[in-house]
Short mmCIF file of all heavy atoms in Angstrom, two decimals:
data_model
loop_
_atom_site.label_atom_id
_atom_site.label_comp_id
_atom_site.label_asym_id
_atom_site.label_seq_id
_atom_site.Cartn_x
_atom_site.Cartn_y
_atom_site.Cartn_z
N LEU A 1 -114.62 26.18 -117.73
CA LEU A 1 -114.08 27.25 -118.57
C LEU A 1 -112.84 26.70 -119.27
O LEU A 1 -112.01 26.04 -118.65
CB LEU A 1 -113.68 28.45 -117.72
CG LEU A 1 -114.77 29.06 -116.86
CD1 LEU A 1 -114.17 30.06 -115.87
CD2 LEU A 1 -115.80 29.74 -117.72
N PHE A 2 -112.71 26.98 -120.55
CA PHE A 2 -111.55 26.48 -121.29
C PHE A 2 -111.20 27.46 -122.40
O PHE A 2 -112.05 28.22 -122.87
CB PHE A 2 -111.79 25.08 -121.87
CG PHE A 2 -112.96 25.00 -122.79
CD1 PHE A 2 -112.81 25.16 -124.15
CD2 PHE A 2 -114.24 24.76 -122.30
CE1 PHE A 2 -113.89 25.08 -125.01
CE2 PHE A 2 -115.33 24.66 -123.13
CZ PHE A 2 -115.16 24.83 -124.50
N GLY A 3 -109.94 27.44 -122.79
CA GLY A 3 -109.53 28.33 -123.86
C GLY A 3 -108.12 28.07 -124.32
O GLY A 3 -107.36 27.34 -123.69
N GLU A 4 -107.81 28.71 -125.43
CA GLU A 4 -106.49 28.56 -126.04
C GLU A 4 -106.18 29.80 -126.86
O GLU A 4 -107.04 30.33 -127.54
CB GLU A 4 -106.49 27.33 -126.94
CG GLU A 4 -105.21 27.07 -127.66
CD GLU A 4 -105.27 25.80 -128.48
OE1 GLU A 4 -105.46 24.73 -127.90
OE2 GLU A 4 -105.13 25.93 -129.71
N PHE A 5 -104.95 30.25 -126.77
CA PHE A 5 -104.45 31.33 -127.61
C PHE A 5 -103.18 30.84 -128.27
O PHE A 5 -102.27 30.37 -127.60
CB PHE A 5 -104.16 32.59 -126.78
CG PHE A 5 -103.61 33.71 -127.62
CD1 PHE A 5 -104.45 34.47 -128.40
CD2 PHE A 5 -102.26 33.97 -127.64
CE1 PHE A 5 -103.95 35.49 -129.19
CE2 PHE A 5 -101.74 34.99 -128.42
CZ PHE A 5 -102.59 35.75 -129.20
N SER A 6 -103.12 30.95 -129.58
CA SER A 6 -101.98 30.44 -130.34
C SER A 6 -101.53 31.51 -131.33
O SER A 6 -102.35 32.22 -131.92
CB SER A 6 -102.37 29.17 -131.08
OG SER A 6 -101.28 28.62 -131.76
N ILE A 7 -100.22 31.61 -131.51
CA ILE A 7 -99.67 32.58 -132.46
C ILE A 7 -98.56 31.90 -133.25
O ILE A 7 -97.83 31.07 -132.71
CB ILE A 7 -99.16 33.85 -131.73
CG1 ILE A 7 -98.79 34.94 -132.71
CG2 ILE A 7 -98.02 33.52 -130.79
CD1 ILE A 7 -98.62 36.31 -132.07
N ASN A 8 -98.45 32.22 -134.54
CA ASN A 8 -97.39 31.63 -135.36
C ASN A 8 -96.27 32.65 -135.56
O ASN A 8 -96.34 33.77 -135.07
CB ASN A 8 -97.92 31.06 -136.67
CG ASN A 8 -98.50 32.11 -137.60
OD1 ASN A 8 -98.38 33.30 -137.38
ND2 ASN A 8 -99.15 31.65 -138.65
N ASP A 9 -95.23 32.26 -136.27
CA ASP A 9 -94.04 33.10 -136.37
C ASP A 9 -94.22 34.31 -137.29
O ASP A 9 -93.34 35.16 -137.34
CB ASP A 9 -92.81 32.28 -136.76
CG ASP A 9 -93.01 31.41 -137.98
OD1 ASP A 9 -94.12 31.40 -138.53
OD2 ASP A 9 -92.06 30.74 -138.38
N VAL A 10 -95.33 34.42 -138.00
CA VAL A 10 -95.62 35.63 -138.77
C VAL A 10 -96.68 36.47 -138.05
O VAL A 10 -97.33 37.31 -138.64
CB VAL A 10 -96.03 35.32 -140.22
CG1 VAL A 10 -94.87 34.76 -141.01
CG2 VAL A 10 -97.22 34.42 -140.27
N GLU A 11 -96.84 36.20 -136.74
CA GLU A 11 -97.70 36.95 -135.84
C GLU A 11 -99.19 36.92 -136.23
O GLU A 11 -99.90 37.91 -136.07
CB GLU A 11 -97.19 38.37 -135.67
CG GLU A 11 -95.82 38.40 -135.04
CD GLU A 11 -95.30 39.79 -134.80
OE1 GLU A 11 -96.05 40.76 -134.99
OE2 GLU A 11 -94.13 39.91 -134.40
N LYS A 12 -99.64 35.80 -136.74
CA LYS A 12 -101.07 35.56 -136.96
C LYS A 12 -101.53 34.66 -135.82
O LYS A 12 -100.79 33.81 -135.35
CB LYS A 12 -101.32 34.89 -138.31
CG LYS A 12 -100.80 35.68 -139.49
CD LYS A 12 -101.48 37.02 -139.59
CE LYS A 12 -100.97 37.77 -140.82
NZ LYS A 12 -101.60 39.04 -140.99
N TYR A 13 -102.75 34.84 -135.36
CA TYR A 13 -103.18 34.17 -134.14
C TYR A 13 -104.48 33.39 -134.31
O TYR A 13 -105.24 33.60 -135.25
CB TYR A 13 -103.35 35.20 -133.02
CG TYR A 13 -104.49 36.15 -133.29
CD1 TYR A 13 -105.77 35.87 -132.84
CD2 TYR A 13 -104.30 37.31 -134.01
CE1 TYR A 13 -106.82 36.72 -133.11
CE2 TYR A 13 -105.34 38.16 -134.28
CZ TYR A 13 -106.60 37.87 -133.82
OH TYR A 13 -107.64 38.71 -134.10
N ALA A 14 -104.71 32.52 -133.35
CA ALA A 14 -105.97 31.80 -133.21
C ALA A 14 -106.38 31.91 -131.75
O ALA A 14 -105.54 31.81 -130.85
CB ALA A 14 -105.82 30.33 -133.60
N PHE A 15 -107.66 32.12 -131.53
CA PHE A 15 -108.17 32.38 -130.19
C PHE A 15 -109.47 31.60 -130.03
O PHE A 15 -110.40 31.76 -130.84
CB PHE A 15 -108.43 33.89 -130.07
CG PHE A 15 -108.91 34.35 -128.75
CD1 PHE A 15 -108.07 34.37 -127.65
CD2 PHE A 15 -110.21 34.78 -128.58
CE1 PHE A 15 -108.51 34.82 -126.43
CE2 PHE A 15 -110.66 35.24 -127.37
CZ PHE A 15 -109.81 35.26 -126.29
N VAL A 16 -109.53 30.72 -129.03
CA VAL A 16 -110.72 29.91 -128.76
C VAL A 16 -111.03 30.02 -127.28
O VAL A 16 -110.14 29.83 -126.44
CB VAL A 16 -110.50 28.43 -129.14
CG1 VAL A 16 -111.72 27.60 -128.81
CG2 VAL A 16 -110.14 28.28 -130.60
N GLN A 17 -112.28 30.32 -126.95
CA GLN A 17 -112.73 30.39 -125.57
C GLN A 17 -114.06 29.68 -125.46
O GLN A 17 -114.90 29.81 -126.37
CB GLN A 17 -112.91 31.85 -125.11
CG GLN A 17 -111.64 32.64 -125.09
CD GLN A 17 -110.65 32.10 -124.09
OE1 GLN A 17 -110.93 32.00 -122.91
NE2 GLN A 17 -109.48 31.74 -124.57
N GLY A 18 -114.26 28.97 -124.38
CA GLY A 18 -115.52 28.24 -124.22
C GLY A 18 -115.95 28.13 -122.79
O GLY A 18 -115.15 28.23 -121.86
N VAL A 19 -117.25 27.93 -122.64
CA VAL A 19 -117.87 27.72 -121.34
C VAL A 19 -118.84 26.57 -121.49
O VAL A 19 -119.62 26.52 -122.45
CB VAL A 19 -118.63 28.97 -120.86
CG1 VAL A 19 -119.36 28.69 -119.56
CG2 VAL A 19 -117.71 30.14 -120.71
N SER A 20 -118.78 25.63 -120.58
CA SER A 20 -119.74 24.53 -120.54
C SER A 20 -120.39 24.55 -119.16
O SER A 20 -119.71 24.39 -118.15
CB SER A 20 -119.03 23.20 -120.78
OG SER A 20 -119.97 22.15 -120.82
N PHE A 21 -121.69 24.77 -119.14
CA PHE A 21 -122.44 24.92 -117.90
C PHE A 21 -123.43 23.76 -117.78
O PHE A 21 -124.16 23.47 -118.72
CB PHE A 21 -123.18 26.26 -117.91
CG PHE A 21 -124.07 26.48 -116.73
CD1 PHE A 21 -123.57 26.42 -115.44
CD2 PHE A 21 -125.40 26.76 -116.91
CE1 PHE A 21 -124.40 26.63 -114.35
CE2 PHE A 21 -126.24 26.98 -115.83
CZ PHE A 21 -125.74 26.90 -114.56
N ARG A 22 -123.42 23.10 -116.63
CA ARG A 22 -124.30 21.95 -116.41
C ARG A 22 -125.20 22.24 -115.21
O ARG A 22 -124.89 21.85 -114.08
CB ARG A 22 -123.46 20.71 -116.18
CG ARG A 22 -124.26 19.46 -116.20
CD ARG A 22 -123.34 18.27 -116.25
NE ARG A 22 -124.18 17.09 -116.36
CZ ARG A 22 -123.73 15.91 -116.61
NH1 ARG A 22 -122.45 15.73 -116.78
NH2 ARG A 22 -124.54 14.89 -116.68
N PRO A 23 -126.36 22.88 -115.45
CA PRO A 23 -127.24 23.22 -114.33
C PRO A 23 -127.93 22.01 -113.71
O PRO A 23 -128.33 22.05 -112.56
CB PRO A 23 -128.24 24.19 -114.94
CG PRO A 23 -128.23 23.91 -116.39
CD PRO A 23 -126.86 23.40 -116.71
N SER A 24 -128.09 20.93 -114.49
CA SER A 24 -128.67 19.70 -113.95
C SER A 24 -127.98 18.52 -114.62
O SER A 24 -127.22 18.68 -115.57
CB SER A 24 -130.18 19.66 -114.19
OG SER A 24 -130.46 19.43 -115.56
N ASP A 25 -128.28 17.32 -114.14
CA ASP A 25 -127.63 16.13 -114.70
C ASP A 25 -128.05 15.84 -116.14
O ASP A 25 -127.36 15.14 -116.85
CB ASP A 25 -127.92 14.91 -113.82
CG ASP A 25 -127.20 15.01 -112.48
OD1 ASP A 25 -126.19 15.75 -112.41
OD2 ASP A 25 -127.65 14.37 -111.51
N ARG A 26 -129.19 16.36 -116.57
CA ARG A 26 -129.68 16.07 -117.91
C ARG A 26 -129.60 17.25 -118.87
O ARG A 26 -130.09 17.18 -119.98
CB ARG A 26 -131.13 15.58 -117.85
CG ARG A 26 -131.23 14.29 -117.06
CD ARG A 26 -132.56 13.64 -117.05
NE ARG A 26 -133.70 14.51 -117.22
CZ ARG A 26 -134.93 14.08 -117.40
NH1 ARG A 26 -135.18 12.80 -117.41
NH2 ARG A 26 -135.92 14.93 -117.55
N LEU A 27 -128.98 18.32 -118.44
CA LEU A 27 -128.89 19.51 -119.29
C LEU A 27 -127.48 20.10 -119.22
O LEU A 27 -126.95 20.34 -118.13
CB LEU A 27 -129.89 20.58 -118.83
CG LEU A 27 -129.85 21.92 -119.58
CD1 LEU A 27 -130.24 21.73 -121.05
CD2 LEU A 27 -130.76 22.92 -118.91
N THR A 28 -126.89 20.32 -120.39
CA THR A 28 -125.60 20.98 -120.49
C THR A 28 -125.73 22.10 -121.52
O THR A 28 -126.24 21.89 -122.61
CB THR A 28 -124.49 20.00 -120.95
OG1 THR A 28 -124.42 18.92 -120.02
CG2 THR A 28 -123.15 20.70 -121.02
N ILE A 29 -125.26 23.28 -121.16
CA ILE A 29 -125.30 24.44 -122.04
C ILE A 29 -123.87 24.81 -122.38
O ILE A 29 -123.03 24.98 -121.48
CB ILE A 29 -126.01 25.62 -121.36
CG1 ILE A 29 -127.44 25.22 -121.00
CG2 ILE A 29 -126.00 26.84 -122.28
CD1 ILE A 29 -128.15 26.21 -120.11
N ASN A 30 -123.57 24.92 -123.68
CA ASN A 30 -122.21 25.20 -124.14
C ASN A 30 -122.17 26.49 -124.94
O ASN A 30 -123.08 26.75 -125.74
CB ASN A 30 -121.70 24.07 -125.03
CG ASN A 30 -121.62 22.77 -124.30
OD1 ASN A 30 -120.94 22.66 -123.30
ND2 ASN A 30 -122.33 21.77 -124.78
N PHE A 31 -121.13 27.26 -124.73
CA PHE A 31 -120.85 28.45 -125.52
C PHE A 31 -119.42 28.35 -126.02
O PHE A 31 -118.52 27.97 -125.27
CB PHE A 31 -120.98 29.73 -124.69
CG PHE A 31 -122.37 29.99 -124.19
CD1 PHE A 31 -122.72 29.64 -122.90
CD2 PHE A 31 -123.32 30.58 -125.01
CE1 PHE A 31 -123.99 29.87 -122.43
CE2 PHE A 31 -124.60 30.82 -124.55
CZ PHE A 31 -124.94 30.47 -123.25
N LEU A 32 -119.21 28.71 -127.29
CA LEU A 32 -117.87 28.66 -127.86
C LEU A 32 -117.65 29.89 -128.73
O LEU A 32 -118.51 30.26 -129.53
CB LEU A 32 -117.69 27.40 -128.71
CG LEU A 32 -116.31 27.20 -129.32
CD1 LEU A 32 -115.30 26.89 -128.24
CD2 LEU A 32 -116.34 26.09 -130.34
N PHE A 33 -116.51 30.52 -128.53
CA PHE A 33 -116.11 31.67 -129.35
C PHE A 33 -114.76 31.34 -129.95
O PHE A 33 -113.86 30.87 -129.25
CB PHE A 33 -116.00 32.94 -128.51
CG PHE A 33 -115.43 34.09 -129.26
CD1 PHE A 33 -116.22 34.83 -130.13
CD2 PHE A 33 -114.10 34.43 -129.14
CE1 PHE A 33 -115.70 35.88 -130.84
CE2 PHE A 33 -113.56 35.49 -129.85
CZ PHE A 33 -114.37 36.22 -130.71
N ARG A 34 -114.61 31.59 -131.24
CA ARG A 34 -113.31 31.35 -131.87
C ARG A 34 -113.02 32.46 -132.86
O ARG A 34 -113.93 33.05 -133.45
CB ARG A 34 -113.27 30.00 -132.57
CG ARG A 34 -114.13 29.93 -133.80
CD ARG A 34 -113.89 28.63 -134.55
NE ARG A 34 -114.65 28.58 -135.77
CZ ARG A 34 -114.27 29.10 -136.93
NH1 ARG A 34 -113.13 29.73 -137.02
NH2 ARG A 34 -115.03 29.02 -137.99
N ARG A 35 -111.75 32.73 -133.01
CA ARG A 35 -111.30 33.75 -133.95
C ARG A 35 -109.97 33.30 -134.52
O ARG A 35 -109.01 33.10 -133.78
CB ARG A 35 -111.15 35.09 -133.26
CG ARG A 35 -110.47 36.16 -134.06
CD ARG A 35 -111.40 36.74 -135.11
NE ARG A 35 -110.78 37.91 -135.73
CZ ARG A 35 -110.39 37.93 -136.99
NH1 ARG A 35 -110.57 36.89 -137.77
NH2 ARG A 35 -109.84 39.00 -137.49
N TYR A 36 -109.94 33.10 -135.82
CA TYR A 36 -108.70 32.73 -136.51
C TYR A 36 -108.34 33.88 -137.45
O TYR A 36 -109.12 34.23 -138.33
CB TYR A 36 -108.88 31.45 -137.34
CG TYR A 36 -109.08 30.22 -136.50
CD1 TYR A 36 -110.36 29.77 -136.17
CD2 TYR A 36 -108.00 29.51 -136.02
CE1 TYR A 36 -110.55 28.65 -135.40
CE2 TYR A 36 -108.17 28.38 -135.25
CZ TYR A 36 -109.46 27.96 -134.96
OH TYR A 36 -109.64 26.84 -134.18
N ALA A 37 -107.18 34.46 -137.27
CA ALA A 37 -106.73 35.53 -138.13
C ALA A 37 -106.38 34.97 -139.51
O ALA A 37 -105.92 33.83 -139.62
CB ALA A 37 -105.51 36.23 -137.53
N GLY A 38 -106.61 35.77 -140.53
CA GLY A 38 -106.20 35.36 -141.88
C GLY A 38 -104.71 35.15 -141.93
O GLY A 38 -103.95 35.98 -141.45
N GLY A 39 -104.27 34.03 -142.44
CA GLY A 39 -102.85 33.71 -142.50
C GLY A 39 -102.37 32.83 -141.37
O GLY A 39 -101.22 32.42 -141.37
N TYR A 40 -103.25 32.52 -140.40
CA TYR A 40 -102.86 31.59 -139.35
C TYR A 40 -102.89 30.17 -139.91
O TYR A 40 -103.88 29.74 -140.48
CB TYR A 40 -103.82 31.69 -138.16
CG TYR A 40 -103.51 30.65 -137.08
CD1 TYR A 40 -102.50 30.88 -136.17
CD2 TYR A 40 -104.21 29.47 -137.02
CE1 TYR A 40 -102.19 29.95 -135.20
CE2 TYR A 40 -103.92 28.52 -136.06
CZ TYR A 40 -102.91 28.77 -135.15
OH TYR A 40 -102.61 27.84 -134.21
N ILE A 41 -101.77 29.46 -139.80
CA ILE A 41 -101.64 28.11 -140.33
C ILE A 41 -101.13 27.20 -139.23
O ILE A 41 -100.19 27.54 -138.51
CB ILE A 41 -100.63 28.05 -141.51
CG1 ILE A 41 -101.05 28.99 -142.63
CG2 ILE A 41 -100.45 26.64 -142.01
CD1 ILE A 41 -102.25 28.56 -143.40
N SER A 42 -101.75 26.04 -139.08
CA SER A 42 -101.27 25.02 -138.15
C SER A 42 -101.29 23.67 -138.86
O SER A 42 -102.35 23.18 -139.23
CB SER A 42 -102.18 24.97 -136.92
OG SER A 42 -101.81 23.91 -136.08
N PHE A 43 -100.13 23.10 -139.06
CA PHE A 43 -100.04 21.78 -139.71
C PHE A 43 -100.07 20.66 -138.70
O PHE A 43 -100.68 19.63 -138.92
CB PHE A 43 -98.75 21.67 -140.53
CG PHE A 43 -98.72 22.59 -141.71
CD1 PHE A 43 -97.86 23.66 -141.74
CD2 PHE A 43 -99.56 22.38 -142.78
CE1 PHE A 43 -97.82 24.51 -142.81
CE2 PHE A 43 -99.54 23.23 -143.87
CZ PHE A 43 -98.67 24.30 -143.88
#
């Protein structure tokens, strides 16, 4: 399980969440959700 929440000084945010599931040695299943608010800037 992994994720990140980031906010800038004008209160715009970025949100990333993910799951990586490995039921066997030859199979990995990944899910990723992301949401970037309009106006979020990262240089």
Side-chain angles (χ1 to χ4, degrees):
L1 303 168
F2 58 93
E4 179 178 298
F5 178 79
S6 183
I7 189 165
N8 64 10
D9 51 359
V10 292
E11 298 182 7
K12 302 298 182 179
Y13 67 91
F15 182 72
V16 178
Q17 296 296 302
V19 175
S20 184
F21 176 57
R22 191 168 184 170
S24 72
D25 290 337
R26 298 186 333 171
L27 177 65
T28 302
I29 300 169
N30 297 302
F31 295 98
L32 182 69
F33 173 80
R34 70 172 184 85
R35 170 76 171 113
Y36 292 93
Y40 176 81
I41 302 289
S42 174
F43 293 111

